[in-house]
């Protein structure tokens, strides 16, 4: 699956070998990436996405949380608001962002398609408008998901091999010591993290060792701000948090743990995935050896009758070196610089042939 501007529409992409947990699987990717690229638009923009289906089965796309005003045919559920895009066919999604801003996401909406085909959709305020909070220094999506040891589709639930942050399992899993997402930060800055739960069934708790989070939005709606040491997201939910980098130079774990409310739920993985905040002044990337980082406080797996805890900042513990996950090239629409005002965004998707 490939996401391109129109002038690259003819470039053919196929499934990409992706290695996780010691094994390599042919995976449907977007621009060769898993997860897919982040789409960034402004409130008032018209988004145009052209999809060409090179797969052997039907496909549609859904824009999770976006209100389709008089454009229900762009919503994505197959045989409900549109006929599916058949193998070799194409379809153009066109809709206007009207009065919405915040963190959304997109994913396939077709029966039988893998649950790993998704990406973030960021809708910023209109040009000349601003957030209802101080402008953050940086913004990053944190997409929570799963990785299956065998091909996983939309049928009944089965047991995954690992939970992931932005497609990576973190260093608590086998063969994953160098497969951990690292977010570079500078002391004193305040950053915005857009957390998306792209998992189908699992609730997650998230915490950052040594740092408090200020919740500023949930499900793309600004909310009364409050500080907390942990957040929980149900399947499909999004939460935006501001984090001030007020710790000494070093590294801090971002930890995510599954939280099933039902009793007797079984996982064949550790239930916890990690990423790392790395203060750029630490110079940790040049230090060899595994990381020795403190794990933030999280509720126990399957803990029942949970009551809220007062937000507390645990003491900072310095960590040693950790290999940086191999960076992937950004798609053309993933420029981190401010987005200029525009009225229309034309994007094309090529969905590559799945290898057998």
């Amino acid at each position: 699956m490939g996401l391109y501007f129109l002038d690259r529409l003819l470039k053919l992409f196929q499934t990409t070998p992706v290695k996780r947990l010691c094994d390599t699987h042919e995976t449907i990717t977007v621009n060769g990436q898993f997860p897919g690229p982040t789409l960034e638009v402004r409130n008032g923009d018209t988004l145009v996405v052209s999809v060409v289906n090179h797969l052997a089965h039907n496909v549609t796309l859904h824009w999770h949380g976006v209100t389709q005003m008089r454009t229900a045919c762009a919503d994505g559920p197959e045989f409900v608001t549109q006929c599916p895009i058949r193998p070799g066919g194409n379809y153009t999604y066109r809709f206007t962002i009207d009065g919405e801003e915040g963190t959304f996401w997109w994913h396939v909406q077709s029966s039988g398609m893998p649950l790993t085909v998704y990406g973030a959709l960021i809708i910023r305020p209109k040009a000349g408008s601003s957030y209802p909070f101080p402008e953050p220094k940086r913004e990053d999506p944190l997409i929570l998901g799963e990785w299956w040891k065998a091909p996983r589709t939309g049928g009944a639930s089965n047991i995954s091999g690992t939970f992931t942050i932005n497609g990576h399992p973190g260093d608590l899993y086998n063969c994953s010591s160098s497969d951990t997402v690292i977010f570079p930060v500078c002391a004193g800055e305040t950053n915005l993290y857009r957390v998306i739960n792209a998992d189908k069934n699992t609730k997650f708790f998230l915490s950052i060792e040594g740092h408090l989070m200020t919740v500023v939005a949930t499900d793309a709606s600004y909310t009364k701000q409050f500080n907390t040491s942990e957040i929980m997201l149900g399947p499909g939910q999004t939460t935006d948090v501001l984090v001030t980098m007020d710790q000494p130079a070093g590294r801090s774990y971002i930890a995510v743990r599954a939280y099933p409310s039902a009793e007797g739920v079984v996982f064949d993985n550790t239930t916890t995935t990690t990423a790392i905040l790395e203060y750029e002044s630490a110079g940790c990337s040049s230090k060899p050896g595994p990381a020795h980082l403190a794990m933030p406080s999280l509720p126990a797996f399957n803990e029942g009758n949970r009551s809220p805890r007062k937000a507390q900042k645990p003491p900072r513990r310095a960590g040693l070196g950790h290999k940086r996950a191999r960076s992937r090239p950004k798609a053309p629409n993933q420029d981190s610089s401010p987005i200029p005002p525009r009225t229309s965004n034309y994007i094309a998707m090529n969905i590559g042939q799945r290898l057998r």
Side-chain angles (χ1 to χ4, degrees):
M1 185 174 180
L3 179 59
Y4 294 95
F5 290 105
L6 185 59
D7 60 357
R8 298 191 183 184
L9 177 61
L10 298 179
K11 192 172 183 180
L12 177 63
F13 274 73
Q14 295 179 318
T15 52
T16 303
V18 177
K19 184 176 182 179
R20 297 289 186 271
L21 306 181
C22 313
D23 296 319
T24 299
H25 297 293
E26 293 292 339
T27 302
I28 298 177
T29 59
V30 181
N31 276 11
Q33 301 177 31
F34 161 64
T38 296
L39 306 182
E40 300 185 37
V41 296
R42 290 189 182 275
N43 180 11
D45 284 355
T46 295
L47 185 62
V48 182
V49 179
S50 179
V51 179
V52 180
N53 186 5
H54 293 289
L55 295 174
H57 44 75
N58 297 337
V59 65
T60 62
L61 292 180
H62 175 62
W63 315 95
H64 199 99
V66 176
T67 301
Q68 298 290 351
M69 301 297 293
R70 298 179 296 278
T71 51
C73 57
D75 198 42
E78 60 179 358
F79 299 115
V80 178
T81 62
Q82 72 169 97
C83 293
I85 308 169
R86 301 183 65 182
N90 63 83
Y91 185 80
T92 298
Y93 293 90
R94 181 190 298 268
F95 56 92
T96 298
I97 308 299
D98 185 8
E100 293 183 301
E101 58 187 68
T103 302
F104 300 80
W105 58 296
W106 58 266
H107 57 84
V108 292
Q109 189 75 12
S110 301
S111 176
M113 282 291 290
L115 300 180
T116 53
V117 184
Y118 51 75
L121 171 60
I122 309 303
I123 303 177
R124 302 186 186 280
K126 290 183 177 181
S129 300
S130 61
Y131 297 127
F133 47 81
E135 190 78 16
K137 181 67 174 180
R138 314 183 198 211
E139 299 184 25
D140 287 296
L142 274 72
I143 307 180
L144 315 181
E146 293 187 78
W147 175 263
W148 283 267
K149 297 177 181 178
R152 175 71 170 94
T153 60
S157 300
N158 65 352
I159 299 175
S160 70
T162 172
F163 297 112
T164 59
I165 298 177
N166 290 357
H168 295 273
D171 56 6
L172 301 184
Y173 294 90
N174 292 333
C175 303
S176 301
S177 61
S178 61
D179 200 12
T180 302
V181 176
I182 296 179
F183 296 96
V185 299
C186 289
E189 67 185 18
T190 297
N191 299 335
L192 177 65
Y193 295 100
R194 300 176 179 271
V195 188
I196 301 169
N197 184 355
D199 191 86
K200 179 182 178 183
N201 298 304
T202 309
K203 297 180 287 291
F204 290 110
F205 275 97
L206 180 147
S207 184
I208 304 176
E209 190 268 323
H211 297 75
L212 287 178
M213 296 174 284
T214 300
V215 176
V216 295
T218 59
D219 289 333
S221 296
Y222 297 122
T223 185
K224 182 178 180 180
Q225 299 178 19
F226 63 93
N227 295 331
T228 181
S229 58
E230 61 190 39
I231 58 174
M232 192 192 82
L233 295 90
Q237 291 186 326
T238 69
T239 300
D240 296 353
V241 297
L242 292 173
V243 180
T244 298
M245 306 305 153
D246 55 3
Q247 295 298 310
R251 293 180 165 195
S252 296
Y253 261 142
I254 302 173
V256 174
R257 178 172 294 168
Y259 180 74
S261 56
E263 296 183 0
V265 177
V266 178
F267 290 92
D268 65 348
N269 55 47
T270 66
T271 76
T272 303
T273 181
T274 56
I276 291 176
L277 286 184
E278 178 181 276
Y279 283 71
E280 292 184 334
S281 59
C284 296
S285 59
S286 62
K287 297 180 181 180
H292 298 281
L293 302 176
M295 184 65 64
S297 175
L298 286 168
F301 172 72
N302 216 1
E303 177 183 339
N305 299 320
R306 176 161 174 76
S307 59
R309 293 185 296 177
K310 183 179 179 181
Q312 297 179 348
K313 182 178 293 186
R316 178 76 169 86
R317 301 183 186 179
L320 299 179
H322 195 287
K323 294 182 180 179
R324 183 183 298 274
R326 182 175 298 176
S327 61
R328 295 169 293 181
K330 289 185 176 182
N333 62 306
Q334 284 187 287
D335 188 357
S336 58
S337 60
I339 301 177
R342 57 186 182 272
T343 58
S344 180
N345 303 273
Y346 196 107
I347 301 170
M349 284 189 176
N350 277 345
I351 303 181
Q353 177 66 45
R354 186 181 182 88
L355 301 181
R356 297 182 177 179

